[in-house]
Amino acid sequence: MSLDGAFLHLVKNELLNKNLVGARVDKIHQPSREEIVITLRGFSGAHKLLMSANPASARVCLTEGAQDNPASPPMFCMLLRKHLSGGKLLRIEQDGLERILCFDFSCVNEIGDEVENRLSVELMGRCSNIILLSRQENGYKVIDSIKRITDDISSVRRILPGIAYTLPPREDRLDLRDCTCAEAVSRLLLQPEQRIEKAMLKVFEGISPVVAREAAYYTARDCEALCGCLGEKERADRFGFFLGRLKKALCENAADYHIICDLNGKYKDFTFFAPEQYGTSGLIRPAESASALLDGFFGARVNAERMKQRSGDLLKLILNTYQRTARKLELQRAELQDTKDREVFRVRGDLLSANLYRMEKGMNEITVDNYLTGQPETIKLDVRLTPAQNAQKCYAEYKKLDTAEKMLSKLIKQGEEELAYLDSVFDAAGRATMEAELTEIKQELYETGYLHKGRNQKAEKTQKPLKPLKFRSDDGFDILVGRNNLQNDRLTLKTAKPDDMWLHTHDIAGAHVIVCTEGREIPDSTILQAAILAATFSKGADGTKIPVDYTKAKFVKKPSGAKPGMVIFVNNKTLLADPDKDLAQRLTVKG
């Protein structure tokens, strides 16, 4: 869903209530190609303002999430720092209920003169943009934008450095905040055969389809209701009452924020009122504020998409290596199967040795009594070899197959361990939520020889090791979860104390989980919550009844030469746990 003008109005009011006006620009970052994060610092503290021109997630809101920033800032980010750093936010404006929010800053230019610059955030689907403007006597001039719009893209409205800024053309539509019920009904009755949902989008400014459908449902208990039904007084009164609810939400700070999910919990839409149209076909979850709703609705999805893009090459390399190892392992198992008949050659050697007196050079076969079966057996002979050489040939074939069986068994075990390791790396890379996590995984692959640095490849900056994910159980026990194999080793073998509890999914790739006891007895409820976290941060996160092993950390050891994350353990118990991302989010310790 795209952010509509009515919801943007509520976002603007929230920003004003946070006393952002008067705050100064402290930091500016550009985490991705279409996102800007501005840190504003004022009397109420520091606030991070997120602006996104991504068509799938265009929004403006306050955010608490930590975004990964590129090593070198993009050009537009540098431009914003040049023109806005240290600037004071003067005002936040919205033209009616248009999907454009403007931030005016008082700044100082290169020669020390005070100037006024505007950051205009246009949230219009695929035409979304973030535009930096300078105020002139007769309007605003474009300094630059996060997306440049040339004649090839739009012949109606260009956005290029140095040209005059013009607002998008507006249509003659009603404003929810000041129109009367009679005005709205009369407009809608002009098209009686049109559905209320479709007509409202043309009549009203700044509303989304979910608002229009709710109006139709509240009016006639039917989302498909036609405008003609508003000719009935009862229906018109119900429509007017719903219109009054929207006005109150927009004008009296009475919004009631909700996220709409499907029955599987997947986010589908959001509103600033409690919707009734979905009945039992959807789940409705409340949100604390407009920014919290937008941050939760778009944040996780956008971050997952960003990490998917950044980890794509790494995941492909791991997958190709896994498939190559699996094919090699399959061939080795087939070869091992062929060695199962090696005893036949040893027995034939024994039979030929016992019947050398009956054999002559040049014979092509001999029939002897098999002392194991008691039945006669015909053995093919090499006419070029002597009887003794034919016997030795059988022994040599037996020895070759016997040696192959021992070597193949060893190689197959190594291959299975390698597949388990690659599976764990793939799982960790798939769960990564930060660029730093991918960097650690790459470092792990360099150390284990799966990645090789080219001659011209720049050395990556040495970064401080990431801390494990931290949670706190309802009983007050700290629970630590490893992000990758290197961190799993540090967590299990160095951080954990002997009496801490260690957990890991049974024969399923996943994170190492440590429950810090601090000398206390761990209740079963905390062990269960830790097991749920172990299942959630594993390859089995989409399943149910995931087996989780747990034991004291002192019973967990790392075999000599084992790959990162590989351990052995004893004295363990196993329980079944269902993954629960909501529980993980609730137990998360921030900071």
Side-chain angles (χ1 to χ4, degrees):
M1 175 201 168
S2 59
L3 180 63
D4 61 28
F7 203 100
L8 189 61
H9 172 77
L10 296 171
V11 172
K12 184 197 75 172
N13 289 344
E14 182 177 300
L15 298 179
L16 293 174
N17 292 336
K18 292 286 186 180
N19 297 319
L20 289 191
V21 173
R24 292 194 176 274
V25 177
D26 185 28
K27 298 176 183 177
I28 301 176
H29 294 106
Q30 187 174 348
S32 66
R33 189 167 59 89
E34 297 171 324
E35 282 185 351
I36 295 294
V37 177
I38 299 178
T39 303
L40 295 167
R41 190 173 296 277
F43 292 112
S44 59
H47 299 277
K48 288 196 292 186
L49 183 63
L50 171 66
M51 305 172 181
S52 173
N54 186 324
S57 58
R59 66 197 187 281
V60 175
C61 65
L62 295 175
T63 182
E64 295 182 359
Q67 287 85 14
D68 282 331
N69 297 302
S72 56
M75 290 301 296
F76 187 67
C77 179
M78 296 295 289
L79 186 72
L80 290 181
R81 290 177 180 178
K82 175 184 176 182
H83 289 278
L84 297 183
S85 288
K88 180 181 179 181
L89 181 60
L90 299 177
R91 66 188 75 87
I92 305 174
E93 295 181 347
Q94 182 185 15
D95 184 15
L97 290 182
E98 286 291 298
R99 290 175 292 171
I100 302 175
L101 206 56
C102 299
F103 298 83
D104 293 331
F105 296 90
S106 174
C107 309
V108 177
N109 63 14
E110 298 93 329
I111 60 176
D113 293 335
E114 187 173 337
V115 296
E116 187 173 309
N117 294 324
R118 166 173 283 192
L119 202 56
S120 179
V121 187
E122 301 180 355
L123 308 176
M124 296 177 289
R126 62 185 181 86
C127 298
S128 299
N129 210 341
I130 302 173
I131 309 167
L132 179 63
L133 310 168
S134 65
R135 186 165 190 170
Q136 309 293 313
E137 292 182 1
N138 56 348
Y140 288 92
K141 183 177 75 173
V142 176
I143 299 176
D144 208 346
S145 60
I146 205 165
K147 300 177 186 176
R148 292 184 178 181
I149 309 300
T150 63
D151 289 328
D152 296 336
I153 300 174
S154 173
S155 59
V156 177
R157 184 169 176 260
R158 297 183 304 157
I159 303 294
L160 293 170
I163 69 173
Y165 174 77
T166 57
L167 287 167
R170 288 185 66 178
E171 298 179 12
D172 180 25
R173 293 186 292 177
L174 298 177
D175 189 324
L176 278 171
R177 297 170 298 177
D178 53 28
C179 75
T180 65
C181 177
E183 288 176 326
V185 170
S186 63
R187 283 275 194 105
L188 292 171
L189 284 175
L190 293 176
Q191 36 191 340
E193 299 302 318
Q194 179 73 276
R195 285 162 48 189
I196 293 177
E197 174 194 354
K198 296 293 185 183
M200 283 191 69
L201 295 175
K202 297 177 182 178
V203 169
F204 288 96
E205 179 181 58
I207 66 169
S208 63
V210 68
V211 178
R213 283 197 306 273
E214 187 70 16
Y217 181 80
Y218 195 87
T219 300
R221 284 294 182 261
D222 181 8
C223 293
E224 306 288 327
L226 303 180
C227 293
C229 74
L230 293 173
E232 303 174 20
K233 186 177 184 305
E234 181 184 353
R235 301 287 175 85
D237 289 344
R238 291 184 64 83
F239 179 80
F241 183 82
F242 181 75
L243 207 63
R245 284 177 58 193
L246 295 181
K247 286 184 181 181
K248 186 175 181 181
L250 294 174
C251 302
E252 301 179 21
N253 199 26
D256 191 11
Y257 302 106
H258 289 83
I259 294 178
I260 301 160
C261 314
D262 62 18
L263 296 179
N264 295 321
K266 184 179 180 180
Y267 291 171
K268 303 296 289 185
D269 219 322
F270 58 86
T271 68
F272 54 91
F273 52 83
E276 299 178 6
Q277 59 186 280
Y278 296 95
T280 58
S281 64
L283 303 175
I284 310 299
R285 296 183 179 179
E288 294 180 1
S289 64
S291 288
L293 184 152
L294 294 176
D295 211 21
F297 187 89
F298 290 113
R301 186 171 66 184
V302 170
N303 188 57
E305 184 63 29
R306 183 189 302 131
M307 291 308 301
K308 183 179 179 181
Q309 293 174 357
R310 294 181 179 179
S311 63
D313 291 341
L314 182 61
L315 290 174
K316 186 176 180 180
L317 180 141
I318 298 170
L319 183 60
N320 288 341
T321 306
Y322 184 95
Q323 292 174 339
R324 187 167 60 249
T325 304
R327 287 194 297 268
K328 183 171 69 174
L329 191 59
E330 186 177 352
L331 293 174
Q332 289 171 343
R333 285 172 175 158
E335 291 178 17
L336 180 64
Q337 190 64 32
D338 293 339
T339 67
K340 299 299 182 184
D341 297 330
R342 63 188 181 280
E343 285 296 324
V344 172
F345 293 96
R346 185 181 63 81
V347 171
R348 286 178 181 175
D350 290 343
L351 293 175
L352 291 179
S353 296
N355 290 275
L356 287 176
Y357 67 95
R358 298 176 51 202
M359 299 166 58
E360 294 180 1
K361 186 176 180 179
M363 294 176 63
N364 60 2
E365 63 179 29
I366 186 173
T367 300
V368 297
D369 292 329
N370 190 321
Y371 61 86
L372 292 178
T373 63
Q375 300 294 324
E377 179 178 346
T378 300
I379 302 174
K380 297 290 184 180
L381 300 174
D382 189 336
V383 296
R384 297 168 299 175
L385 303 179
T386 65
Q389 288 174 333
N390 271 296
Q392 291 302 317
K393 181 182 178 182
C394 290
Y395 287 131
E397 186 66 23
Y398 165 77
K399 186 175 181 181
K400 183 178 75 171
L401 292 176
D402 188 58
T403 303
E405 190 272 340
K406 293 175 181 176
M407 293 299 297
L408 286 168
S409 297
K410 182 179 179 181
L411 291 173
I412 288 171
K413 182 180 179 182
Q414 291 174 351
E416 290 172 343
E417 291 174 352
E418 186 175 3
L419 284 184
Y421 171 70
L422 291 170
D423 198 22
S424 69
V425 176
F426 190 89
D427 173 64
R431 287 189 284 106
T433 58
M434 299 171 61
E435 184 72 29
E437 292 182 56
L438 292 179
T439 302
E440 282 200 353
I441 293 172
K442 287 179 182 177
Q443 183 60 38
E444 176 185 340
L445 293 175
Y446 285 133
E447 293 179 3
T448 51
Y450 290 99
L451 274 180
H452 302 281
K453 294 184 179 180
R455 291 183 179 180
N456 299 326
Q457 185 174 349
K458 293 181 179 179
E460 296 183 6
K461 293 182 179 178
T462 303
Q463 62 178 25
K464 187 178 179 181
L466 287 172
K467 293 182 179 179
L469 298 172
K470 187 174 182 180
F471 304 86
R472 184 164 291 122
S473 73
D474 291 332
D475 300 309
F477 287 80
D478 285 343
I479 303 174
L480 305 179
V481 177
R483 300 172 187 262
N484 51 61
N485 286 320
L486 290 178
Q487 196 174 91
N488 284 339
D489 279 350
R490 291 196 298 268
L491 185 61
T492 300
L493 305 174
K494 295 183 179 180
T495 304
K497 296 180 180 178
D499 288 330
D500 289 346
M501 187 67 71
W502 178 88
L503 300 94
H504 190 276
T505 46
H506 180 75
D507 290 340
I508 299 174
H512 291 201
V513 177
I514 297 293
V515 181
C516 303
T517 62
E518 297 180 354
R520 296 175 290 171
E521 188 71 24
I522 304 178
D524 291 342
S525 56
T526 290
I527 294 177
L528 177 59
Q529 287 185 339
I532 292 173
L533 291 175
T536 302
F537 293 92
S538 77
K539 190 178 178 181
D542 295 327
T544 58
K545 305 300 180 187
I546 306 300
V548 178
D549 295 325
Y550 64 98
T551 186
K552 289 189 176 182
K554 63 184 177 183
F555 297 128
V556 183
K557 306 295 180 186
K558 187 174 186 66
S560 178
K563 293 185 180 296
M566 301 293 125
V567 295
I568 56 175
F569 51 92
V570 294
N571 298 337
N572 61 291
K573 297 180 181 178
T574 304
L575 59 81
L576 300 178
D578 291 330
D580 190 340
K581 294 181 180 179
D582 291 336
L583 177 70
Q585 186 174 1
R586 181 173 69 82
L587 299 182
T588 298
V589 177
K590 296 181 179 179

